[in-house]
């Protein structure tokens, strides 16, 4: 993987642009199965529980493999990890289009999770070495813009591609191509030195007892609580929003995908840009400031999403408006959490800390959210009386999401309030230990 050293990309803006592109593809590729839920259910005779398990299995593998890959990113070349992971998940995305049944689909999507698990620890560790603490929330918001951009592109394109080609498989083949191109460009990244932007530079070398050091940080435990709640809500939304529009509001696949792109994708563009600026301003006096902004935003997001999900099937316009408002506020979670991790974890442990953080909230939130939502949907549909099977499925899914999503957002707010109370002391402790 050697390239000409004189042609390396070394500017923070250039590296951030490539990380953004990879993050966009990360979320684009993982979102495709959620958009083609109804075609998958029809071809393979699946239930909502199956769909929840498909999403949940991906997150379990993502979480488990993220831990060793995060530790590896603290020890070796982050660029190599990023390039290898992007190549792997792009090729496996193409392989998804070749599956012949639910088991093979499940296995391939789990393998995609291994590839995608390489990205977040290495990327967030690198980002913290490119920007000083006072600019990290804005830099994080730009990196995390890959999430809503990926969702918008996926929800606006996969439905039309599927309907135009007559097959859900086509979208997976097309999605693999950009990843190969971006992986080639990422080979030219020049890695920043670890701790390059710290006011007190850490000593060189690899730290021992990495997991023990990370797990004694009290802020991290509260951020994990917030992450669990966030992923319960986020994965339930991402997995079942298009089916909700199709079944409950009676839209087509393409229209349901586009409305979902507005509700959970376009909102992220505004939420992350504004959230990054608000969070950095709030952190001028104390690291707790930006965490409190996220906690308050999530506290407001919960009732807005509850109100949206309480609407009837003839109120699709009001649903889009209310849910979009709530989901826009939800994005302030990202501009609070990731800078907070950098505030309390010393540079040589940041990829490890991110991987531990991801493992905990994906295993307990990203897995549980869609599985619980799918199982509740099937249970409520089966208990419906006097409704056609199609209407029962619609009501069951609506009732399930009405419970799971607002409760997940409330848990996120609780975790952020707890983290805000601990982050200042943990930040001071990190600086004191680095100066020894």
């Amino acid at each position: 993987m050697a390239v000409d050293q004189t042609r390396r990309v070394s500017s923070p803006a250039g590296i951030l642009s490539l990380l953004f592109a990879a993050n966009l593809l990360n979320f684009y590729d993982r979102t495709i199965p959620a958009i083609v839920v109804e075609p998958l259910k029809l071809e393979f005779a699946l239930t909502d529980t199956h769909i929840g398990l498909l999403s949940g299995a991906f997150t379990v593998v993502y979480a488990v493999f993220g831990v060793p890959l995060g530790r590896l990113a603290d020890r070796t070349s982050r660029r190599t990890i990023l390039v290898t992971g992007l190549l792997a998940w792009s090729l496996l995305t193409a392989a998804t289009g070749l599956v012949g049944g639910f088991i093979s689909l499940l296995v391939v999507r789990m393998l995609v999770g291994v590839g995608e698990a390489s990205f977040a620890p290495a990327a967030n560790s690198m980002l913290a070495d490119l920007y000083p603490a006072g600019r990290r929330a804005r830099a994080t918001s730009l990196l995390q813009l890959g999430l809503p951009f990926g969702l918008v592109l996926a929800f606006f394109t996969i439905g039309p591609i599927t309907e135009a080609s007559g097959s859900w498989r086509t979208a997976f083949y097309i999605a693999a191509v950009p990843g190969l191109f971006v992986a080639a460009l990422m080979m030219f990244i020049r890695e920043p030195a670890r701790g390059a932007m710290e006011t007190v530079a850490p000593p060189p070398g690899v730290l021992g007892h990495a997991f023990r050091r990370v797990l004694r940080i009290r802020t991290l435990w509260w951020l994990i609580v917030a992450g669990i709640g966030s992923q319960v809500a986020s994965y339930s939304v991402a997995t079942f929003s298009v089916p909700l529009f199709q079944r409950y509001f009676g839209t087509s696949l393409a229209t349901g995908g586009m409305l979902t792109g507005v509700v959970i994708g376009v909102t992220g563009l505004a939420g992350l840009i504004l959230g990054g600026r608000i969070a950095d301003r709030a952190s001028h006096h104390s690291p707790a400031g930006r965490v409190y902004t996220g906690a308050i935003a999530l506290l407001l997001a919960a009732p807005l999403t509850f109100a949206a999900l309480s609407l009837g099937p003839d109120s699709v316009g009001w649903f889009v408006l209310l849910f979009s408002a709530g989901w826009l506020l939800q994005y302030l979670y990202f501009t609070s959490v990731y800078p907070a991790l950098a505030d309390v974890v010393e540079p040589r442990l940041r990829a490890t800390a991110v991987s531990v953080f991801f493992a905990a909230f994906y295993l307990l939130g990203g897995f549980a959210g869609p599985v619980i939502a799918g199982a509740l949907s099937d249970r409520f549909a089966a208990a419906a009386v006097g409704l056609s099977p199609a209407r029962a499925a619609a009501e069951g899914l609506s009732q399930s999401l009405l419970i799971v999503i607002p409760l997940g957002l409330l848990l996120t707010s609780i975790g952020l309030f707890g983290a805000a109370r601990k982050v200042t002391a943990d930040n001071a402790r990190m600086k004191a230990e680095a100066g020894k």
Side-chain angles (χ1 to χ4, degrees), residues 211-296:
F211 294 108
R212 186 188 307 169
R213 291 173 182 268
V214 165
L215 292 174
R216 74 183 184 187
I217 301 171
R218 293 171 296 175
T219 302
L220 178 63
W221 287 98
W222 282 108
L223 293 178
I224 287 172
V225 172
I228 291 170
S230 173
Q231 296 308 302
V232 165
S234 296
Y235 268 78
S236 298
V237 169
T239 303
F240 290 110
S241 285
V242 175
L244 180 71
F245 276 114
Q246 288 183 267
R247 295 182 210 171
Y248 191 73
F249 294 111
T251 72
S252 66
L253 172 60
T255 301
M258 291 178 184
L259 289 174
T260 301
V262 171
V263 168
I264 69 173
V266 173
T267 55
L269 306 182
L272 288 170
I273 292 172
L274 294 174
R277 292 182 179 276
I278 293 169
D280 274 341
R281 286 185 180 180
S283 70
H284 284 170
H285 299 293
S286 167
R290 60 177 152 221
V291 186
Y292 275 121
T293 63
I296 294 168

Side-chain angles (χ1 to χ4, degrees), residues 144-221:
Q144 292 300 326
L145 277 174
L147 192 165
F149 267 112
L151 295 180
V152 168
L153 285 176
F155 286 118
F156 273 74
T157 61
I158 299 304
I161 289 171
T162 301
E163 291 184 350
S165 65
S167 172
W168 56 266
R169 300 174 187 271
T170 307
F172 289 98
Y173 302 142
I174 294 173
V177 177
L180 304 179
F181 176 70
V182 174
L185 293 178
M186 291 185 74
M187 293 174 62
F188 292 90
I189 286 177
R190 185 193 299 276
E191 282 203 47
R194 298 182 196 270
M197 291 296 164
E198 301 306 312
T199 55
V200 179
V206 176
L207 283 176
H209 307 294
F211 294 108
R212 186 188 307 169
R213 291 173 182 268
V214 165
L215 292 174
R216 74 183 184 187
I217 301 171
R218 293 171 296 175
T219 302
L220 178 63
W221 287 98

Side-chain angles (χ1 to χ4, degrees), residues 9-184:
V9 178
S10 57
S11 71
I15 296 174
L16 178 56
S17 297
L18 290 175
L19 294 177
F20 162 81
N23 201 30
L24 183 155
L25 295 173
N26 189 313
F27 284 94
Y28 186 96
D29 293 351
R30 78 170 67 177
T31 303
I32 301 175
I35 301 171
V36 296
V37 163
E38 299 301 285
L40 285 173
K41 290 183 68 176
L42 182 62
E43 180 165 338
F44 298 139
L46 306 180
T47 66
D48 280 347
T49 302
H50 285 113
I51 298 300
L53 286 171
L54 181 65
S55 176
F58 170 93
T59 59
V60 167
V61 172
Y62 186 101
V64 170
F65 280 86
V67 174
L69 288 170
R71 192 70 191 112
L72 190 64
D74 276 331
R75 295 172 174 267
T76 61
S77 168
R78 292 168 289 188
R79 181 189 66 247
T80 300
I81 293 171
L82 290 166
V83 171
T84 304
L86 182 50
L87 286 172
W89 92 60
S90 297
L91 293 172
L92 287 162
T93 295
T96 308
L98 302 174
V99 300
F102 177 69
I103 298 301
S104 57
L105 175 63
L106 186 67
V107 170
V108 172
R109 295 310 295 175
M110 290 170 70
L111 292 174
V112 171
V114 177
E116 293 197 5
S118 65
F119 179 77
N124 282 282
S125 171
M126 190 178 289
L127 190 72
D129 292 330
L130 291 169
Y131 293 92
R135 295 175 57 199
R136 279 183 192 142
R138 275 172 286 182
T140 299
S141 71
L142 293 174
L143 172 63
Q144 292 300 326
L145 277 174
L147 192 165
F149 267 112
L151 295 180
V152 168
L153 285 176
F155 286 118
F156 273 74
T157 61
I158 299 304
I161 289 171
T162 301
E163 291 184 350
S165 65
S167 172
W168 56 266
R169 300 174 187 271
T170 307
F172 289 98
Y173 302 142
I174 294 173
V177 177
L180 304 179
F181 176 70
V182 174

Side-chain angles (χ1 to χ4, degrees), residues 229 232-233 236-237 244 302-303 305-310 323 368-369 372-377 379-380 395-411:
V232 165
S236 298
V237 169
L244 180 71
T305 56
F306 182 86
L309 289 161
S310 300
F323 202 95
I372 293 171
L376 285 176
S377 175
R379 183 179 182 86
F380 289 143
E395 293 291 339
L397 182 58
S398 175
Q399 292 173 32
S400 171
L401 298 181
L402 178 64
I403 294 171
V404 174
I405 293 169
L407 286 179
L409 297 178
L410 280 176
L411 181 60

